[in-house]
Each structure stands twice: as C-alpha cells, then as structure tokens.
Amino acid sequence: MNPIEFGLDTFGDVTSSLDGVPLSHAQVLRNVVEEAVLADSVGIDFIGIGEHHRADFAVSAPEVLLAAAAVRTTRIRLGSAVTVLSSDDPIRVFQRFSTIDALSNGRAEVILGRGSFTESFPLFGFPLRDYETLFEEKLEIFSALITQKEVNWKGTIRPPLVNQQVFPPIETGSLKTWIGVGGSPESVVRAARYNLPLMLAIIGGDPKRFAPYVDLSKRAYDQLKLPMQPIGVHSPGYVADTDEQARRELWPDYKRMRDQIGAERGWPPMQEAEFAQEIEHGSLYVGSPETVARKIAATVKALGLSRFDLKYSAGPLPHEKLMRCIELYGTKVVPMVREILG
C-alpha cells in the first residue's frame, strides 16, 4: 500500500485583518500564494485551490495562483479543488494544467467537478438545464486528452475533434486527474468508468456514512476488471495549539461563512451546539494537533483513504491564523497521523 498523502485545500475565502477589516480580493490572492509556499516548506504533500465566481471567495482563476506557487515551491503537488469543468473548456483546462506541470517539473494535478455553486453557468453563458450533458461530454474530452496523443471525439456540445493534438503535452507521464464527488452514487461509478481517482467532499455528518460509496467504487472497479484507483477525502478543519483555542478562534468566522451560504440555500443559522457536534462526531477536524491527528487517522482507516485534504480556509478567518494552522498541520498533525497509522 502506498503511503497516505496529506493535503490542504482553500477556496481563497475573503479574509479579514486581525482587527476585523475585510481584505481586498487582491491581497487575499497574494496571501494564498504565501500559504502555498509555507505548506511546501512544512512538508505537506498537496495544496488545492478552489474556483468560485462570487464576492466571498477571491479565487476565480486557480491556475494562475498555482503557476505563481509553482515557481516558488519545490516539492508540494499543486492542483484545483475543484475545477468546474461543466462551465469551462476542457481543452483550455488541460492546457493550463499542462503549463503548471511544466513550470513545477511534474507536480500538477486537477480535480474535476460540477461544483456546488452555479454562478459560473450564467456568467459564461451555459444553461443550467444542460448541467449533466455539459459535464459528461466535457469529461469525455478531458479523459481523451490525458490518455491519447491525438484526440477523436464527437458529441453535441461542440464540433467534433479529429486527430487533434493539444499543446503543451505533459512532459513525463500523464496529468493526475481526480473526480470530485459530493455524494452521488452515479458520480462514484462515473469516476470508475473513466478509471480516475475519486475525491469525496465530506463537509458534514459522520464521515463513516461514506463507506458505502467506497464499497460501490470497489465493486465498480471489480466489474470493469480494473485495479482500484486512489480515494481521497476533502473536509473542513482548523488546527490551533489547544482544543479550546481552535474552537474559540474558528467559531465566529465559520458561522459567518456557513450562515451566508445557508441563507442562499434555505438552511437555518448555525448554532454553536451543531458546531460542537460536527467537531466531536462529524466532519469538522478542529482542535489541537493531537485531537485533529486522531480524528484524521480514524477517517483514513475507516474509509481506506490514499489522501486526506484539510480545507483550512473559513470565511473571514485571518491569514495569520491560517498560516499558524498550516504550520501545525505540517509539522505536528501529519507526523502524528503517520505514526498512528504506523
């Protein structure tokens, strides 16, 4: 079994200064690059940067930030979390990530998904009624790009591709491509059908409830007579020096982020008891390094994971606190999890 990888994810949430003043989107973007540089220096395996097109997240073009990080880091793998393939051009997505791969000497990855927000569809002129068709056909094209030198494809969303080459090619090997899944069985089977690793976004509830999706993935690979691909998990969390400090620092900003999104989706405001429940029994990895390490190790063992990605940004939670979280995750949490898993 390959050693488990440990990553960090951020959506480039618009953060505040330590005295509560919101930062500009431009400053947040600069800070995200510094966070990636720190993650590299403390030994974290991967950093993923998410794509959004709304006021509360600064990152709309993660590949640009990943390219900036590529030239300032040496070992960390660099990817998206996620790339909303449905509202993008699969050829341009491949070209952007093959460029990052070149700049980073082979460290690029992409996590493709449909996204949990839909702002990109009207922004780029795609009708939501084509949600399924757009993703399926664009994934067909992308799969061909990462497995074939010359692509032949025919579908409904664009003119056919005939013996088409795309540049720049990946220098060595192929572009590591994951499918990001929020909890649909069809998406799990689709990842197996394309023979791609699966990244499960588990953002609430007991992570063990996703065990049936892991079993479904195994059964799908067995039926396809293919070796099992890696499975990873993306979940939110925050590390501080003590459990009490982590909860105290995260709660107000996490609630602000959760309530803003919840108001758009018809959720009631988050109560502190629900926050505590998610930390103690759900999918919030919050606390001291020891507490977070034990909880991550339990999830890794329960689901048989190859990678765990901690989504460390949380609404306006200040950059300085995020940097301390990254430092503790890399220097303390990750070594502890490796020791527990032994």
Side-chain angles (χ1 to χ4, degrees), residues 9-12 28-30 32-33 36 46-54 57-70 77-85 87-88 92-93 96-97 99-101 103 108-113 120 124:
D9 291 338
T10 177
F11 296 164
V28 172
L29 294 174
R30 292 189 286 269
V32 169
V33 175
F46 170 83
I47 187 160
I49 301 177
E51 172 198 348
H52 293 87
H53 304 272
R54 43 186 290 135
F57 298 117
V59 181
S60 60
E63 301 93 342
V64 180
L65 294 188
L66 293 168
R77 297 188 64 81
L78 304 156
S80 56
V82 300
T83 294
V84 184
L85 186 64
S87 56
D88 211 328
R92 293 295 284 145
V93 172
R96 295 194 297 261
F97 278 91
T99 299
I100 296 165
D101 200 67
L103 293 174
E109 297 186 8
V110 60
I111 303 177
L112 302 175
S120 61
F124 298 119

Side-chain angles (χ1 to χ4, degrees), residues 26-157:
Q27 185 59 54
V28 172
L29 294 174
R30 292 189 286 269
N31 288 347
V32 169
V33 175
E34 295 306 320
E35 290 158 16
V37 171
L38 176 61
D40 182 58
S41 74
V42 296
I44 291 161
D45 298 310
F46 170 83
I47 187 160
I49 301 177
E51 172 198 348
H52 293 87
H53 304 272
R54 43 186 290 135
D56 45 342
F57 298 117
V59 181
S60 60
E63 301 93 342
V64 180
L65 294 188
L66 293 168
V71 297
R72 294 191 53 200
T73 57
T74 57
R75 56 170 300 282
I76 195 168
R77 297 188 64 81
L78 304 156
S80 56
V82 300
T83 294
V84 184
L85 186 64
S86 314
S87 56
D88 211 328
D89 183 299
I91 294 172
R92 293 295 284 145
V93 172
F94 178 85
Q95 289 174 325
R96 295 194 297 261
F97 278 91
S98 64
T99 299
I100 296 165
D101 200 67
L103 293 174
S104 65
N105 291 299
R107 292 183 282 129
E109 297 186 8
V110 60
I111 303 177
L112 302 175
R114 293 181 291 181
S116 62
F117 296 88
T118 58
E119 288 86 356
S120 61
F121 286 81
L123 180 64
F124 298 119
F126 293 102
L128 271 172
R129 67 175 179 272
D130 295 338
Y131 188 79
E132 293 290 343
T133 303
L134 286 166
F135 187 73
E136 189 65 60
E137 293 199 6
K138 289 181 180 187
L139 184 56
E140 285 177 7
I141 296 170
F142 201 90
S143 177
L145 290 168
I146 60 175
T147 56
Q148 304 168 24
K149 288 186 177 178
E150 291 188 348
V151 174
N152 290 279
W153 177 89
K154 187 176 183 180
T156 65
I157 59 170

Side-chain angles (χ1 to χ4, degrees), residues 132-328:
E132 293 290 343
T133 303
L134 286 166
F135 187 73
E136 189 65 60
E137 293 199 6
K138 289 181 180 187
L139 184 56
E140 285 177 7
I141 296 170
F142 201 90
S143 177
L145 290 168
I146 60 175
T147 56
Q148 304 168 24
K149 288 186 177 178
E150 291 188 348
V151 174
N152 290 279
W153 177 89
K154 187 176 183 180
T156 65
I157 59 170
R158 56 152 295 150
L161 294 165
V162 180
N163 298 331
Q164 183 67 58
Q165 289 184 284
V166 175
F167 304 99
I170 298 296
E171 188 172 28
T172 57
S174 62
L175 176 65
K176 186 164 187 178
T177 302
W178 300 71
I179 300 293
V181 174
S184 130
E186 295 79 12
S187 296
V188 172
V189 173
R190 180 192 283 122
R193 199 169 75 241
Y194 284 99
N195 197 24
L196 294 173
L198 183 68
M199 182 61 67
L200 296 167
I202 306 181
I203 59 173
D206 185 345
K208 296 184 189 67
R209 69 192 173 91
F210 276 73
Y213 293 105
V214 175
D215 293 338
L216 176 61
S217 181
K218 290 176 181 174
R219 293 201 309 273
Y221 276 103
D222 285 344
Q223 289 184 12
L224 292 163
K225 296 181 170 52
L226 292 170
M228 183 80 179
Q229 287 277 6
I231 293 179
V233 158
H234 152 109
S235 285
Y238 179 67
V239 191
D241 291 288
T242 67
D243 289 349
E244 192 276 332
Q245 180 189 352
R247 292 191 186 204
R248 183 183 72 248
E249 290 182 353
L250 180 63
W251 162 242
D253 294 322
Y254 189 84
K255 174 177 169 58
R256 198 170 309 164
M257 172 197 67
R258 166 67 163 64
D259 287 355
Q260 180 172 342
I261 295 169
E264 300 168 7
R265 301 183 178 186
W267 303 341
M270 189 177 211
Q271 303 300 315
E272 197 157 4
E274 181 188 351
F275 178 70
Q277 171 72 15
E278 279 295 333
I279 292 172
E280 290 156 20
H281 305 291
S283 295
L284 259 179
Y285 295 76
V286 175
S288 67
E290 295 80 6
T291 296
V292 173
R294 284 195 299 269
K295 186 166 183 177
I296 291 174
T299 297
V300 169
K301 285 195 273 192
L303 299 179
L305 302 180
S306 297
R307 186 151 88 199
F308 182 91
D309 289 348
L310 186 80
K311 195 268 186 179
Y312 68 92
S313 60
L317 189 65
H319 167 66
E320 292 82 0
K321 293 180 180 178
L322 299 180
M323 293 288 271
R324 178 62 175 158
C325 171
I326 292 167
E327 180 186 359
L328 290 170

